[in-house]
Amino acid sequence: MQKQEFTISAYTENTIGLLNRITIMFTRRRMNIDSLTVSESAIAGISKFTIVVKDAEERIRKLCVQIERHVEVLKCFYHRNDEVVHQEVALYKVSSESLLSGDHIEKLVREYNARILEITPNFTVIEKTGHKAETQELFEKLNPHGVLQFIRSGRVAITRSNIEKLSEFLKERDRVQTVLDHNN
Amino acid sequence: MTTQNNSSLERNEEDVTGAQALIKSLLEEGVDTIFGYPGGAIMPVYDALYDFLDQVNHVLTRHEQGAIHAAQGYARVSGKVGVCFATSGPGATNLITGIADAMIDSTPLVCFTGQVTSPLLGTDAFQESDIVGMSMPVTKWNYQITDADEITDVVAKAFFIAKSGRPGPVLIDISKDAQFAPTSFKYKKYRRIRSYLPEQPVEKKSLIDAARLINQAQKPLMLVGQGVVLSGAEKVLLQFAEKTGIPMASTLLGLSAVPSDHPLWKGMLGMHGNYGPNVMTNECDLLLAVGMRFDDRVTGDIKTYATQAKVIHVEIDPSEINKNIPAEVAICSDAKKALKMLLKLVKDNDHTSWCNEFIPFQEAEYEKVIEKDIYPSKTGLTMGEVVHQVAEATNHDAIMTTDVGQQQMIAARYFKFKNSRSCITSGGLGTMGFGLPAAVGAAVGNPAKTVVAFLGDGGYQMTIQEMATIKQENLNVKVIVLNNEFLGMVRQWQELFFDRRYSFTKMHNPDFIKIAEGYGISAKLVRERDDLSIAIDEMLAQEGPYFLEVRVEKEDNVFPMVPSGATISDVRLGPNS
Ligand SMILES: Cc1ncc(C[n+]2csc(CCOP(=O)(O)OP(=O)(O)O)c2C)c(N)n1
Ligand SMILES: [Mg+2]
């Protein structure tokens, strides 16, 4: 079985419990979720789940159609990494003392295109966006200088195709509903 | 115009409590029967129900599991949505097995559970259980109501979801304060939900491709699943089969969709199915699967399943297509609509010589298995002869329910069906304890028919308390326990695959006759072949409920058998072959 990283995008109604309904689909198949982000999509009232998993494409395909079976799921797409532009945000907290005691940290911030969000007398918060490997690399570089806290967000992703797949889908759904209403 | 609209609107609206709104919503959905069991958190609903007993029937079961299996039995014989009520906490959790059973067997149900009053939610209040969380993986949809104003809308949505597309169970949890709260009643049925497309328009191309494969096939075989029953496609299925001459075989849940004596019907598929259809699955050149999902009990090893054949899969649930068996042509549709359209595209055909290829297998199965099962020459009674004789005595016109185990497979094999929706059995989940309460629901759902329930001595004791429901409602249910004093199916596997190590499958049973009589139900015990047919006649002559216990051979096995995970055509006709 050839495992590969996939980004799953599920568009859903914004209702209580749906997160649970979706994650148990992964649990049932013993698939580990590497990253999960849920937020409102461009269309008001519709949530977007972005889920990163490593598995065989065939299993992902079957999973996605089963996710779509849920009444409150509008559509579930999956993409290989080369089909999406994706990003994660990482925050690093270092002591302001170590920031000021030399230019190591400052150099790293420049080199990694990171930025400083906040400096207080006690600590400094650095932010970097990028792929996981990049934010991880910065963490490893900063760590010898004392990282007090480190946190990384889930992935957000956007497809490389030039139309928003969901609006296309919603239009098609409307057309299909009209055909069905007509037939019934 | 406006004034008129307003006045008609006002006439619809009426001040009621949440509980009353719920009952009135059920009436709007045409609900005539509710199966349930009361308790603290659902008392306002039960109180409201008390004023509507002239319009809706409520059956009090003796356990919530009984209520939900009865609702399943009711739904499966009537084609309507089964409805049940339970209280919060243990009442709700007792429904879970039935919900899971209905989910996997696509049975439309709407279950209502009471819930603790909303300010107490999440506080471990008395009889609080997170039934919405617990039932999530086994419901088609579920929802918790804490606001009485939501009730009518949510009920309408629940019924729409339960019965549309691939049917399934829906659970609605209603907090006690929402049941008490005032609201106004105005009902509007659902016709669509933005995020839910119960069926897809059928693609012309797939129909044309399918028709071409059907017209070209030399050795086609049609697999009939429960989708045929659920979509009401029984008639068009026969027209289609007769026009094309294609032989048919049924899944367990597809049984009774086709009359068993139809010349094109070749039997049951799967682990204990008939020899011919299982072997021919791996001989045919075209497999036309209609309203079925290639369950592993049907396919055996999928790697060796029908690899020589092209597969056409007619199935309403897109997630079932290409899930287990890849389809050459997929028609994502309701079985009835698809068959109606295909009927116009297929040519008149005749496959007599291919159909004749089934005959040697039928003969071998008859000689090695069937004859010994239904006309045994040995002393001990067999399950097969009991089922066969009951079926004959009811002229195959009764509704049969079964429990799970050997008796289920024997009943499925030998009852032989005349009418659709007359085989009610737990397929996908294999739930012991299903048969007796399902018979309650079947009898309520189709009072014109006799219901015969074939139960094992094990499974009967899982929901035996429903004898009281049968008595209280005076239902025309003939309860037949095929007593082998074993958890027979497990014992069979121990015999065949675990070196006869009968680990915890032997049962010392109570006096079933006394128990039945204790429930006030006439009962008879049969130990000898000579007494059987008289006992059956007596049972059927009696109005209302009857209990018949038949002591059968203790260590008989069900054959044919395809061992689990084996190639479907590697059928064993006996312990050594
Ligand atoms: C609730 C439940 N528990 C356990 C099983 C496993 N099981 C399947 S068949 C069977 C034996 C059933 O025995 P009995 O009811 O006497 O029927 P028989 O096979 O003897 O006809 C068991 C234990 C099951 N299917 N359901
Ligand atoms: Mg038994």
Side-chain angles (χ1 to χ4, degrees), chain A residues 78-95:
Chain A
Y78 69 91
H79 299 286
R80 286 187 318 269
N81 281 345
D82 60 333
E83 294 171 313
V84 290
V85 177
H86 59 92
Q87 209 57 324
E88 283 161 15
V89 182
L91 300 179
Y92 312 76
K93 194 199 246 180
V94 296
S95 74

Side-chain angles (χ1 to χ4, degrees), chain A residues 13 16-18 20-21 24 28 43-46 58 61-62 65-66 68-74 170 173-174 176-181 183-184, chain B residues 103 130 133 135-143 157 161 166 191-201 317-324 337:
Chain A
E13 298 292 347
I16 296 176
L18 202 58
N20 211 350
R21 256 195 194 274
I24 49 185
R28 246 180 98 185
I43 299 165
I46 295 182
E58 184 57 9
R61 183 190 67 73
K62 288 179 183 172
V65 278
Q66 284 187 326
E68 269 176 9
R69 192 157 78 164
H70 288 312
V71 171
E72 284 152 337
V73 173
L74 284 134
L170 285 175
R173 176 63 68 93
D174 251 2
V176 164
Q177 273 287 6
T178 317
V179 172
L180 285 173
D181 287 352
N183 288 351
N184 287 338
Chain B
M103 183 72 173
D130 176 13
S135 63
M136 212 167 255
V138 289
T139 47
K140 187 172 174 189
W141 185 63
N142 65 7
Y143 192 82
K157 191 170 174 184
I161 291 170
R166 178 177 180 178
R191 291 196 51 230
R192 52 155 96 173
I193 296 172
R194 173 172 73 171
S195 57
Y196 170 63
L197 194 67
E199 53 178 326
Q200 328 252 345
D317 179 353
S319 74
E320 293 296 351
I321 292 173
N322 293 326
K323 185 182 87 176
N324 295 338
K337 286 186 186 145

Side-chain angles (χ1 to χ4, degrees), chain B residues 383 404-407 432 455-459 481-489 505 507 509 552 554:
Chain B
M383 289 184 179
V404 168
Q406 292 184 314
Q407 103 291 138
M432 283 174 72
L455 313 173
D457 46 324
V481 168
L482 300 173
N483 184 0
N484 53 10
E485 291 175 31
F486 269 108
L487 296 173
M489 187 57 94
T505 44
M507 282 185 297
N509 288 320
V552 294
K554 293 184 185 174

Side-chain angles (χ1 to χ4, degrees), chain B residues 449-480:
Chain B
K449 300 275 182 199
T450 299
V451 177
V452 293
F454 291 106
L455 313 173
D457 46 324
Y460 175 48
Q461 294 183 75
M462 283 205 175
T463 45
I464 193 169
Q465 73 285 346
E466 301 310 332
M467 291 292 274
T469 312
I470 289 173
K471 176 65 185 175
Q472 182 166 346
E473 299 289 323
N474 191 33
L475 299 174
N476 190 17
V477 174
K478 314 303 181 194
V479 180
I480 303 166

Side-chain angles (χ1 to χ4, degrees), chain B residues 150-326:
Chain B
E150 284 191 332
I151 289 175
T152 53
D153 186 61
V154 171
V155 173
K157 191 170 174 184
F159 275 82
F160 174 65
I161 291 170
K163 65 188 174 196
S164 57
R166 178 177 180 178
V170 170
L171 180 136
I172 305 300
D173 195 34
I174 312 182
S175 69
K176 198 170 179 181
D177 48 334
Q179 298 171 36
F180 275 128
T183 181
S184 57
F185 182 77
K186 180 160 186 293
Y187 202 79
K188 192 160 175 289
K189 286 198 182 184
Y190 261 71
R191 291 196 51 230
R192 52 155 96 173
I193 296 172
R194 173 172 73 171
S195 57
Y196 170 63
L197 194 67
E199 53 178 326
Q200 328 252 345
V202 180
E203 289 167 35
K204 268 231 172 69
K205 179 171 184 309
S206 60
L207 290 169
I208 293 167
D209 289 348
R212 195 188 60 243
L213 291 182
I214 293 165
N215 290 335
Q216 285 169 353
Q218 301 297 308
K219 299 171 159 196
L221 176 62
M222 182 149 61
L223 310 183
V224 177
Q226 194 194 196
V228 169
V229 178
L230 291 170
S231 65
E234 295 92 336
K235 231 172 91 192
V236 60
L237 175 83
L238 282 194
Q239 290 171 340
F240 178 88
E242 285 164 9
K243 182 171 184 193
T244 56
I246 300 182
M248 298 173 275
S250 301
T251 65
L252 178 62
L253 293 193
L255 286 175
S256 88
V258 181
S260 311
D261 60 1
H262 194 282
L264 287 170
W265 193 72
K266 303 298 173 197
M268 182 169 76
L269 296 160
M271 184 175 275
H272 294 291
N274 292 106
Y275 193 18
N278 280 334
V279 170
M280 292 318 201
T281 297
N282 280 359
E283 293 289 323
C284 65
D285 63 358
L286 177 71
L287 213 51
L288 172 56
V290 185
M292 55 85 77
R293 60 187 178 86
F294 293 108
D295 179 81
D296 53 272
R297 282 291 189 268
V298 162
T299 61
D301 179 11
I302 53 172
K303 286 202 259 353
T304 57
Y305 182 81
T307 46
Q308 81 296 340
K310 296 209 162 77
V311 175
I312 300 172
H313 196 180
V314 178
E315 166 61 48
I316 196 164
D317 179 353
S319 74
E320 293 296 351
I321 292 173
N322 293 326
K323 185 182 87 176
N324 295 338
I325 300 297

